[in-house]
Amino acid sequence: MSGYWNDILVGSKSLVTGLMITAREFFKPVVTEQYPYDVPEMTPLFRGHVELIANEETGAPNCIVCMACQRACPSDCITLAGEKKEGEKKKSLTQYQLDFTKCSLCGSCVEACNFNALQFSKEYNLCSFNKDDFIIDLVKRLEDQN
Amino acid sequence: MSVIESVKAAIEKVVPFSETVIPADPAGEGEEQQPDQVVHSAGAKEVDFAKTGCSLDVLCTAEQILDVAHALDGEQLFIESIAGVDWPKEDQIEVVYTFSHFQDSDVRVMVRLRVPRSEPKVPTISKVFSGADWHERETYDFYGVEFTDHPNLIRILLPEDADFYPLRKDYMP
Amino acid sequence: MTLPVHLRHDETFVLNLGPQHPATHGVLRVKLTMDGEYIVKAEPVLGYIHRMHEKLAEAGTYPQFMPNTARMDYLHALAFNHGYALAVEKAAGIEVPERAEYIRVITVELNRIASHLLWWAAFLLDLGGFTPLLYAFDDREQIIDLLERVTGSRLTYCYMRFGGVYNDIDDEFITGTRDFITRLRSRMPRMYHDLVTHNIILIKRIKDIGFISEEQCRRYGATGPVARGSGINYDVRKNEPYSVYQEFDFDVPVYSECDSMARYMVRMDEIEQSLRIIEQALDKLPDGPVMAKKVPKILKPGLGYHYSAVETARGSLGHMLVCNGDKNPYKLKLRSPTFSNLSLYGEVAEGMLLADALAFMGSLDLVIPEIDR
Ligand code: SF4
Ligand code: SF4
């Protein structure tokens, strides 16, 4: 019988302690971020979808169409094509398509590229009702940015 | 006697120890030979823990597995996993059991056995190690190895009506 | 003679719990045969989120499987990264620089705390307490922000590489981690223990519920907090030290009550031990590269079987790798801890009340994608 009363006593004490802790938390400042008004800053290493890096002088993509990124990708997200233009030493990129629906943001492509042509973007506001919106033409994206 | 030694003694009663009988590499030597000529004779040997992660490598026959399981159960080992490996060139499916020990470090026994691909039948050890039940079902699920006397040998991860064994090398989705 | 319904004790019915039930933490279905409120037979049905990672591993090269590892146990993804990296490094004989191993340990332990915090939150949610979830998420968010800094992702990390890690940690991460250790240490007694552990409702719900004996653990191969809550002193970090764990001084919490409360306490103590490991690792952090030199782009480990085990938040994770000199793994077997831990559910839940069986299920800390792989 003493266990019974003891339970009630200790039990109510534990409940009161708990309630006091929650009550105190009521007056602490808010810890959440009010998202659309209060935009988080992405860390330098944040991995958004990949994007091409433009040459600083010409603004054309650095890519030389070596296909290393395409081969490294585990999920076959990357489709690219290039052609050799007259009078140029290197191949130039004509098409670089990223299928972001399958991308796992692993970074294999960025690591595979030895020509400083790929990087992660800081894009995180990605959502759509349409799957096709995530098949991204990176060459066009780069042109739009310039 | 340390755990590893008594485990060795227990296994010795079922599968003799020898340095030579197990092919050093699983596929290498067998590759040039005809599938039916490859003989993986039973035997156990000690292996380097740092390199392979196992301390004993036991190759037994399907009939011996129950005795091996009883021996390991007597030594208080626990079952870690059961996996299948398909060797289509040799027309065999290998079943790999790993057992480990709770108290003693660096005791891991890898028990391997090979059965023909056309009729993969292995006695169940789920009566000895209850945990083997699910692992065996998984191996049946992926490789079609039939564990005889298993109480409930049905698909576990794939849908019930699947009619393929996905981890066999010749299965292409 | 037929008895009236209320006297017929042999009458049972089948109840499907899940696959979409909030208490099963994902898509697990348990087929329960019930006698009133009592469970006669419980049969977990798996496979609702099965993705055949083992076949995917065979289809790609060794590095191409790395992102998949994080998709199995999304709560302790870095341990899966670590386990796979260690297995391949062992097979291919790659040496990892010391600094990289330290960074791996720090991040894995941070991730372990995050995993335990989420388990704690979800477990209490199962039992009907909503408030603790928000407090735990507050702390977990700090860890995720820290890890995001170094790994670039928040949940499904792909941070480790064969021979090292993706990138080095910076000073801000180190100070941030130290601050976090102080913060969690100061919050632990009040926000976690006073508020929840000593709470009478929790004690009544989980004490002496879900008894798993030592022998059962052994027969089923249960590891991790489940085994340690049954008095088994087994932790892969201690039993077969991998990485640089032998350098640190930490305890393995063991409780021998065998009930859900014991498993709860093991995890709570483990959080503190992980903090200790991180603290020591930060103190000892050596300088140097974080990536081994001369790691071949295409790995072709020679013939052989390699087993490597690591301790995740849920138990011993094994990778059995069969290599045959090709650039793809010949066979990769994943021994996931919860698969074994859950397999004893049927035996233990027999004869339990349904409400207790749910509390017991929560105490096993299930992550379904890892069971189904
Ligand atoms: S991040 Fe990974 S999955 Fe995405 S495109 Fe690059 S290689 Fe492919
Ligand atoms: S690896 Fe770099 S240079 Fe080569 S194709 Fe890809 S982006 Fe272009």
Side-chain angles (χ1 to χ4, degrees):
Chain A
M1 206 59 187
S2 75
Y4 175 77
W5 291 110
N6 198 35
D7 258 9
I8 292 184
L9 203 72
V10 176
S12 349
K13 209 175 131 225
S14 77
L15 293 182
V16 172
T17 325
L19 281 176
M20 265 158 63
I21 292 171
T22 3
R24 230 173 297 147
E25 286 297 306
F26 255 113
F27 303 101
K28 293 260 175 80
V30 182
V31 292
T32 44
E33 224 160 44
Q34 305 301 315
Y35 164 60
Y37 312 106
D38 198 358
V39 190
E41 186 151 328
M42 288 298 119
T43 56
L45 281 168
F46 179 77
R47 301 186 192 179
H49 67 73
V50 289
E51 64 182 7
L52 293 166
I53 304 178
N55 193 311
E56 268 163 31
E57 289 152 27
T58 60
N62 267 343
C63 175
I64 60 141
V65 201
C66 72
M67 304 284 189
C69 50
Q70 191 179 25
R71 253 174 291 142
C73 179
S75 348
D76 292 333
C77 310
I78 299 172
T79 324
L80 51 75
E83 59 183 17
K84 203 155 182 168
K85 289 212 185 89
E86 294 264 327
E88 272 180 33
K89 270 199 275 76
K90 287 185 256 170
K91 271 190 182 174
S92 58
L93 193 65
T94 51
Q95 187 209 13
Y96 197 111
Q97 216 172 52
L98 172 73
D99 185 353
F100 190 58
T101 55
K102 292 191 284 185
C103 174
S104 54
L105 296 172
C106 63
S108 304
C109 50
V110 177
E111 272 173 30
C113 183
N114 289 329
F115 302 92
N116 187 29
L118 272 185
Q119 69 179 15
F120 286 115
S121 64
K122 299 280 163 285
E123 198 95 40
Y124 63 93
N125 273 320
L126 288 163
C127 73
S128 168
F129 287 110
N130 192 355
K131 195 172 154 219
D132 295 336
D133 290 352
F134 296 113
I135 312 228
I136 307 167
D137 189 346
L138 292 183
V139 181
K140 192 155 167 293
R141 191 169 177 276
L142 190 72
E143 276 164 12
D144 292 348
Q145 271 176 354
N146 284 344
Chain B
M1 196 151 64
S2 71
V3 174
I4 185 80
E5 274 162 23
S6 64
V7 171
K8 264 172 77 179
I11 292 177
E12 182 114 58
K13 294 202 187 95
V14 190
V15 187
F17 268 78
S18 68
E19 282 301 316
T20 49
V21 281
I22 301 178
D25 48 67
E29 282 158 38
E31 261 170 333
E32 298 93 45
Q33 299 167 25
Q34 291 304 309
D36 51 347
Q37 287 172 350
V38 185
V39 187
H40 291 274
S41 45
K45 72 172 175 191
E46 263 182 275
V47 285
D48 181 12
F49 190 85
K51 230 177 114 215
T52 61
C54 299
S55 38
L56 289 176
D57 188 356
V58 182
L59 193 68
C60 66
T61 60
E63 293 78 45
Q64 283 170 326
I65 184 66
L66 211 55
D67 293 336
V68 174
H70 274 297
L72 295 174
D73 185 41
E75 293 302 320
Q76 302 292 308
L77 270 78
F78 71 93
I79 181 154
E80 220 159 19
S81 72
I82 300 179
V85 186
D86 189 12
W87 300 104
K89 276 200 195 111
E90 300 158 29
D91 206 20
Q92 282 172 328
I93 287 181
E94 186 170 24
V95 183
V96 185
Y97 302 73
T98 40
F99 300 90
S100 189
H101 198 273
F102 275 138
Q103 271 83 40
D104 211 67
S105 52
D106 298 359
V107 178
R108 181 169 289 114
V109 185
M110 184 185 272
V111 184
R112 304 188 276 135
L113 60 87
R114 295 194 170 214
V115 282
R117 252 173 137 242
S118 49
E119 210 195 1
K121 275 205 166 87
V122 183
T124 177
I125 61 163
S126 59
K127 307 239 160 44
V128 190
F129 289 98
S130 331
D133 182 338
W134 280 22
H135 290 293
E136 282 176 354
R137 272 172 70 187
E138 190 193 306
T139 314
Y140 163 73
D141 206 353
F142 293 167
Y143 289 91
V145 179
E146 214 176 292
F147 291 90
T148 45
D149 287 341
H150 190 286
N152 186 23
L153 196 64
I154 51 168
R155 299 250 172 197
I156 182 164
L157 291 177
L158 296 179
E160 295 121 41
D161 55 355
D163 54 356
F164 48 84
Y165 301 115
L167 275 181
R168 290 197 179 189
K169 289 282 173 192
D170 50 12
Y171 173 76
M172 272 301 140
Chain C
M1 187 187 83
T2 40
L3 290 163
V5 172
H6 67 278
L7 289 178
R8 250 189 266 152
H9 283 297
D10 58 344
E11 185 150 302
T12 59
F13 60 95
V14 174
L15 184 70
N16 268 314
L17 184 71
Q20 304 288 352
H21 189 280
T24 56
H25 299 272
V27 277
L28 172 71
R29 173 174 152 222
V30 189
K31 220 167 111 192
L32 298 165
T33 312
M34 306 287 295
D35 179 5
E37 269 298 287
Y38 288 90
I39 293 171
V40 180
K41 191 164 166 239
E43 242 183 292
V45 182
L46 316 176
Y48 287 91
I49 191 166
H50 175 59
R51 291 146 296 170
M52 199 75 253
H53 277 299
E54 292 172 21
K55 188 85 178 175
L56 288 172
E58 289 171 19
T61 60
Y62 285 92
Q64 282 185 340
F65 187 65
M66 188 55 99
N68 291 44
T69 58
R71 267 97 191 148
M72 276 171 277
D73 185 348
Y74 50 84
L75 294 184
H76 201 186
L78 279 168
F80 273 65
N81 271 197
H82 198 185
Y84 180 60
L86 284 173
V88 176
E89 278 156 8
K90 199 186 246 176
I94 301 170
E95 288 278 325
V96 185
E98 214 183 2
R99 186 179 170 88
E101 281 295 3
Y102 272 80
I103 294 175
R104 283 179 178 185
V105 168
I106 295 169
T107 48
V108 165
E109 292 304 319
L110 274 176
N111 205 194
R112 186 188 311 274
I113 299 174
S115 166
H116 280 333
L117 287 177
L118 192 116
W119 161 79
W120 185 79
F123 179 47
L124 294 166
L125 200 58
D126 287 353
L127 299 177
F130 187 74
T131 326
L133 176 114
L134 299 172
Y135 296 146
F137 266 62
D138 187 6
D139 284 325
R140 182 171 172 269
E141 201 63 19
Q142 313 279 331
I143 300 179
I144 291 186
D145 283 347
L146 284 170
L147 288 177
E148 186 186 358
R149 250 199 104 66
V150 288
T151 64
S153 8
R154 290 175 69 83
L155 196 68
T156 44
Y157 310 103
C158 179
Y159 180 51
M160 313 225 176
R161 296 288 185 268
F162 307 132
V165 292
Y166 175 62
N167 71 280
D168 205 349
I169 56 178
D170 54 4
D171 287 339
E172 203 164 316
F173 173 79
I174 294 174
T175 41
T177 312
R178 284 195 195 279
D179 289 348
F180 172 74
I181 294 173
T182 333
R183 178 195 152 103
L184 191 60
R185 281 222 173 107
S186 69
R187 274 167 71 97
M188 226 31 215
R190 221 161 50 87
M191 300 304 271
Y192 293 79
H193 291 306
D194 278 358
L195 179 65
V196 176
T197 313
H198 303 149
N199 186 301
I200 186 78
I201 304 174
L202 178 87
I203 296 174
K204 292 273 168 201
R205 280 298 303 275
I206 65 174
K207 210 169 169 59
D208 299 325
I209 300 294
F211 186 88
I212 304 175
S213 70
E214 203 181 322
E215 178 61 18
Q216 258 170 340
C217 280
R218 190 183 68 78
R219 271 194 293 113
Y220 280 99
T223 49
V226 176
R228 290 196 283 276
S230 300
I232 297 170
N233 187 353
Y234 177 75
D235 186 318
V236 185
R237 290 174 294 173
K238 281 272 189 210
N239 279 46
E240 28 183 292
Y242 56 94
S243 194
V244 285
Y245 277 109
Q246 66 274 29
E247 312 275 316
F248 307 120
D249 168 35
F250 65 100
D251 303 321
V252 179
V254 178
Y255 285 78
S256 46
E257 286 85 4
C258 305
D259 56 359
S260 301
M261 191 70 191
R263 293 187 280 280
Y264 174 95
M265 287 313 292
V266 167
R267 295 199 180 92
M268 296 314 271
D269 289 2
E270 251 173 41
I271 294 180
E272 277 156 39
Q273 296 305 326
S274 291
L275 289 176
R276 268 178 75 193
I277 297 176
I278 299 167
E279 207 168 34
Q280 293 171 40
L282 286 175
D283 287 341
K284 288 191 193 167
L285 189 68
D287 284 330
V290 293
M291 194 67 198
K293 289 190 202 83
K294 291 186 294 194
V295 179
K297 271 252 159 79
I298 296 169
L299 291 172
K300 288 186 174 177
L303 301 153
Y305 294 74
H306 304 273
Y307 193 97
S308 90
V310 296
E311 180 81 17
T312 77
R314 274 152 276 280
S316 144
L317 161 75
H319 285 87
M320 196 196 73
L321 199 56
V322 182
C323 313
N324 67 342
D326 213 349
K327 63 184 197 310
N328 303 355
Y330 188 76
K331 156 86 193 168
L332 176 71
K333 159 78 188 174
L334 297 148
R335 186 254 181 221
S336 67
T338 345
F339 186 82
S340 302
N341 290 359
L342 179 66
S343 65
L344 50 71
Y345 186 77
E347 192 175 308
V348 178
E350 224 165 82
M352 255 188 202
L353 281 168
L354 178 59
D356 288 348
L358 286 179
F360 165 55
M361 188 192 284
S363 80
L364 288 178
D365 191 5
L366 305 177
V367 170
I368 312 302
E370 179 211 10
I371 300 172
D372 287 352
R373 286 161 304 178

